Amino acid sequence: MSVRSERIVRPMRRSLPALLLASWIAAGGGLPARVAAEEPERPTIHIGWTTSPPELDGRIEPGEWQDASHVDGLTQALPDAGRPPTERTEVWIMTDEDYLYVAARLWDSDPTRIVRNTMARDGDTFLDDRFGFTLDPFLDRQNGYFFQVNANSVRRDALIEGGTVEPSWDGRWYAKASIDAEGWSVEFAIPYRSINFDPDTDVWGFNMARGIRRRDEIDRWSDPVRERFLTAMGRAGDLIGMKGIRQGLGLQAVPSLAGRRVDDTNLPSDRADEDERHYSRVDPSFDAFYKVTPEVTTSVTWNTDFGETEVDDRQVNLGRFALFFPEKRDFFLQDALIFDFGDLTENGRPFFSRNIGLDPQGEPVRIVGGGKLTGRVGPVKFGALDVVIDEQRRSDQQNLFVARAAANVGESTVGGIVTNGAPDGDANNTVAGLDFIYRNTDFRGGKTFRAAAWAQVSHNDPHQRPAVSPPIRGTGWALGGRLAYPNDAYNWELVANVFDERFAPALGFANRVGIREFRGNFRKRWRPADSILQTVDTQVEGSLITEQGRQVETATVLWRPIEVQNYVNDGFRFEYEHSYDVVTAEDPLSFSVPA
């Protein structure tokens, strides 16, 4: 059941909703003191070495994995954390210098109930039976790679960077699964040329997990708790014996050729000859990825064609502000999370690569060429990107540059970013920012706590040319922070951001400036024992946006007094939502449906 009310009115003044205060009180009135707790011993695996690579057919043949290390049994993380799993799992892991091989035998007492609906690459395998693992090749307890397969052999992968996951990344790796009368099995082969790693490190972070859909059960090797996911690299186990692997040449080249036939009947025949109205064109392009060292990758693109890029999910925009679409292009996805800043997900990001290759109206702009250098040296991660685009309204070309660096401090990071250039060529634009992200996965005896603080400054010098609306000129600024306690029984978050009206990150994403933004949410969860219900939640969340003079522009409150779910996520909820929005005559409403 859902109850919703909404008001669109003229400006008036309101105080900060009591929701934020209530959330703060629920958090203990501030940052609770850390309770010291002895960190549990990490599980370890000494990897096996082989000279006989297995045949990847999804069947674990006798003797095929005799050189591998063997793990017999995982531990429940959900729904009954710490208890033995309902089904047995065996895992083998080994290497032959060029590949990491992992095999899993997933015993099942009733194979007819194995769920395997997803068929598409990177599909939602969360709703299927599945097996996956994570790797931390630098052992920095923050970053890594995620690989997962369901019983249909559907592969899903992602980059992991400080707790953030980028699922659009598609690495080059192989896997095959099969089902039999005793369950199902899967075999993986991960080529080392597809990932970055420290060749001098003998120990990698490693964790693995199995999902049994019909019970919504997750069995995990390391850190079998409800509060964290498989991608929480800070609590992964250790994979020992990795020194001696090799990356080979580390070169991947992708040439392509696009042919086009153009019949422009809009050009009047008396003003254009046939060559202008009807013509054919062939456009070559080239992408290459080369690992200078196992830790550092260079990427180049020339005359870029994104014809094979996955299409965006359709979104309907019924609001006043631009929609956020994730990056899907391989060149920009390479080590993309290195460029993330300040825990910002949408509004206020200093760099948003989707701006490159599109004009403000969403029309394609030719990318002449570009290069990128990304990697890690010790505790420092870094990335630099330079792209040249055709400026359609000017005779010259436009150069776009981004540089980002951040250093690990324990589980936390401190870093900076600089961008220069404007994709539309209408301004000389520069943005600089600093950020600090605090992470603690052993907070109050094993809980997770996260905080972020950031500041940015932009300088915009528009070219003198006619414009539909006055361009933003001069220097603008933005700053903000976030506190988050993302755990199972209690989950809360507080966010405060301020965006100056002259803040203009031309290479970033800022769809609403000149505001102060406050957001908060609080959720309490119960897990009834010996019940058909898996979870019972109560939740409240809200937001308040004011203009810089503190006049309220937008406010929302969502109250969900109860939400219940069973083990297959069937359930119901009661919900009340109230929205308050100030719309002036100058605010255009958008009703577009992006293709």
Side-chain angles (χ1 to χ4, degrees), residues 78 226-227 486-491 523-525 527 535:
L78 282 174
R226 297 168 177 163
E227 282 73 26
N487 295 283
D488 187 68
Y490 292 93
N491 187 318
R523 188 210 69 202
K524 174 68 175 78
R525 169 167 289 174
R527 292 183 177 271
T535 59

Side-chain angles (χ1 to χ4, degrees), residues 356-374:
I356 301 176
L358 295 174
D359 67 12
Q361 287 72 44
E363 295 298 323
V365 175
R366 176 173 172 260
I367 297 179
V368 178
K372 181 160 65 168
L373 180 70
T374 55

